Amino acid sequence: MRLLVTGGAGFIGANFVHHVVSEHPDTAVVVLDALTYAGDEASLAPVAGSIEFVQGDVADADLVDSLVARCDAVVHFAAESHNDNSLANPWPFVQTNVIGTYTLLEAVRRHGVRYHHISTDEVYGDLELDDPERFAETTPYNPSSPYSSTKAASDMLVRAWGRSFGVAATISNCSNNYGPYQHVEKFIPRQITNLIDGVRPRLYGQGLNVRDWIHVEDHNRAVWEILMRGRVGETYLIGADGEENNRTVVETLLEVFGRPREDYDLVTDRPGHDLRYAIDSTKLREELGWSPRYSDFATGLADTVAWYRDNEAWWRPRKAATEAKYARTGQ
């Protein structure tokens, strides 16, 4: 199989490429990535000799068509995904998440190529902190930011192209990922790299917002199973029963670093900050037999800290610019 991976130099996409190269070596991998600030070819350095890398925009119709034409399947990771950035400038999110997805769908439609679409649980909005419910495949969409609304729009395009044009597509909506190669602007790597530098962590509001955390390796194992054995036209939710509030995440990281659990600061909350995400992944587990290997969140965090300690050369060039941006906005 020849597989096109869009956004394959980003956090989750690069980890997926690593997974495919190591676990499924008979698969030829082509990576398309625009190498915006969130993508880095260095994330693919360990597998560079085993893949084909193409720098380009997923909304470039001619380029996308030429790549899809010689592939058997597409896994579409490419996305703008940072909520704070979407509030500051929504346009890149419309361009990549909506127009980019449309461009890919038209290409796979023309060439009859299998398509898997990576989405997020944020399309469902949020839940109350004390609500026992979790998101399921049938949960109505209720996005609350330019990021989540453009991802919701892209999901709707995929479903429409499947129903109207017979595109062989599946969708997966995943909870919050953590692990190697995640950009230092994101919550967990920002806290880790600040702690490495001796900087006190900072939390929005009271730090009570809950996310359902999953290690990126578990996410990508699920994606492969859906691509290979998922039912065309279906949506699968990927989650590891990893609900933790942001305060607990920071306190756990402080413990890993041998610092007092209360050694952090609270800052003004961001607008529209969703309260709680929670995934019900029963369908994925029962149909495809998937289960997370990182079932203990504290162990996964400790492994992630170790990776950032060992790979300072990868994240250090991004750190100063990221912190300067946050300093300008008081975050």
Side-chain angles (χ1 to χ4, degrees):
M1 181 175 69
R2 182 176 291 273
L3 179 65
L4 175 62
V5 180
T6 72
F11 163 44
I12 306 177
N15 278 282
F16 180 73
V17 172
H18 285 248
H19 171 78
V20 174
V21 169
S22 64
E23 299 296 325
H24 309 284
D26 291 340
T27 301
V29 178
V30 181
V31 171
L32 173 64
D33 200 290
L35 295 182
T36 61
Y37 79 97
D40 190 340
E41 202 169 352
S43 300
L44 297 170
V47 295
S50 302
I51 66 171
E52 177 185 348
F53 179 81
V54 179
Q55 183 175 353
D57 190 339
V58 73
D60 182 336
D62 291 338
L63 175 61
V64 165
D65 188 80
S66 69
L67 295 175
V68 170
R70 56 189 181 90
C71 288
D72 304 298
V74 175
V75 179
H76 180 33
F77 286 96
E80 292 284 346
S81 64
H82 196 279
N83 271 303
D84 289 338
N85 293 347
S86 79
L87 294 169
N89 182 15
W91 168 244
F93 293 76
V94 175
Q95 172 76 8
T96 298
N97 300 352
V98 181
I99 298 175
T101 299
Y102 162 79
T103 303
L104 273 170
L105 286 169
E106 284 291 89
V108 298
R109 174 189 173 194
R110 280 190 294 271
H111 298 289
V113 170
R114 172 79 166 88
Y115 176 88
H116 181 68
H117 184 75
I118 305 296
S119 191
T120 171
D121 59 353
E122 295 192 39
V123 299
Y124 300 112
D126 62 347
L127 301 164
E128 295 297 327
L129 294 178
D130 58 354
D131 190 340
E133 293 299 316
R134 296 186 292 171
F135 299 137
E137 287 81 2
T138 56
T139 301
Y141 278 26
N142 186 30
S144 57
S145 72
Y147 161 53
S148 56
S149 64
T150 54
K151 288 300 291 182
S154 70
D155 291 5
M156 295 296 103
L157 289 175
V158 175
R159 290 176 179 169
W161 260 243
R163 183 166 179 175
S164 297
F165 304 122
V167 168
T170 45
I171 299 172
S172 58
N173 299 79
C174 192
S175 55
N176 283 52
N177 281 229
Y178 70 98
Y181 297 108
Q182 189 171 24
H183 194 285
V184 291
E185 72 176 2
K186 296 289 189 171
F187 177 61
I188 286 179
R190 188 185 183 203
Q191 307 298 350
I192 291 172
T193 53
N194 277 348
L195 284 163
I196 289 173
D197 285 344
V199 177
R200 282 168 64 92
R202 308 179 85 188
L203 275 173
Y204 281 136
Q206 296 300 309
L208 300 180
N209 304 72
V210 173
R211 299 295 179 260
D212 193 347
W213 295 99
I214 183 171
H215 195 281
V216 66
E217 291 181 13
D218 284 330
H219 179 189
N220 284 325
R221 288 176 43 250
V223 169
W224 180 262
E225 292 300 319
I226 296 167
L227 179 67
M228 292 294 100
R229 301 192 292 118
R231 289 183 290 139
V232 167
E234 293 294 317
T235 295
Y236 295 87
L237 267 60
I238 306 173
D241 299 328
E243 286 188 63
E244 300 287 354
N245 67 35
N246 291 344
R247 179 179 291 180
T248 299
V249 174
V250 166
E251 290 175 348
T252 303
L253 285 172
L254 285 163
E255 285 187 337
V256 172
F257 279 86
R259 303 252 301 257
R261 287 176 63 90
E262 66 277 6
D263 192 14
Y264 58 84
D265 297 317
L266 301 176
V267 298
T268 302
D269 208 353
R270 75 169 182 235
H273 196 178
D274 288 346
L275 292 176
R276 172 175 165 259
Y277 307 147
I279 285 282
D280 182 350
S281 59
T282 300
K283 178 178 175 179
L284 172 68
R285 297 178 190 229
E286 292 185 349
E287 283 193 17
L288 303 182
W290 172 91
S291 62
R293 292 175 179 168
Y294 282 87
S295 56
D296 181 68
F297 180 59
T299 299
L301 271 187
D303 288 352
T304 303
V305 169
W307 187 90
Y308 278 89
R309 285 189 186 277
D310 293 340
N311 291 273
E312 185 169 339
W314 180 85
W315 59 264
R316 180 62 67 185
R318 301 163 184 74
K319 184 63 175 173
T322 297
E323 292 305 320
K325 181 187 72 173
Y326 278 130
R328 289 193 296 271
T329 57
Q331 296 170 312

